[in-house]
Amino acid sequence: MSPELVILLLRVAIALVLYAFLAGVFYYLRRDVQVASEQIEETQLLSGRLVIVRCDDGVPVEVGREFRLQPITVVGRGPTSTIIVPDSFVSTEHARIVARRGQWWLDDLNSRNGTYLNGVPLSGPIVLSSGDIISIGRVEFRFEVG
């Protein structure tokens, strides 16, 4: 084999390796951009809040007060709850709201008086929609996204 042919084959091999490397870099960059954009969309979707819309007399809470939701939010009367509701009808840890796979989920934590979604008692975890009314004790919250 002539030296010119060996040099040509080496140049072609180096060029192929370089193109393969660049293709790999572009593949990983594109994948990272897709993951980042999905995370941004999920973060925007997951900016939820609870707004107190009604409470019975004797419950010391302010109608209209807003609570920003954390990825895991516990509503209850106890000091370990994320949202504290000073109502004797509310359990220490009454209900949990969790952000999971781009959706908000509501679950009752075996409370004595139950948790209601749009007037229906919860029997298990359920997906929340913007505008849903959550009743915990003698307080009603409206769930909002955005």
Side-chain angles (χ1 to χ4, degrees), residues 48-128:
R49 65 181 175 272
L50 293 180
V51 179
I52 297 176
V53 292
R54 191 186 72 74
C55 64
D56 289 353
D57 292 336
V59 181
V61 295
E62 178 185 335
V63 173
R65 183 169 179 198
E66 292 186 8
F67 299 93
R68 290 264 172 223
L69 295 177
Q70 313 261 331
I72 299 174
T73 301
V74 175
V75 181
R77 190 180 65 219
T80 59
S81 297
T82 313
I83 298 174
I84 299 173
V85 180
D87 178 9
S88 59
F89 286 80
V90 176
S91 298
T92 304
E93 290 187 344
H94 196 100
R96 178 176 36 230
I97 301 172
V98 179
R100 208 177 310 139
R101 294 188 195 118
Q103 296 177 314
W104 289 101
W105 290 76
L106 173 65
D107 192 17
D108 183 73
L109 298 175
N110 297 319
S111 63
R112 184 182 314 156
N113 295 313
T115 302
Y116 293 78
L117 180 63
N118 299 321
V120 179
L122 256 57
S123 58
I126 191 164
V127 175
L128 292 171

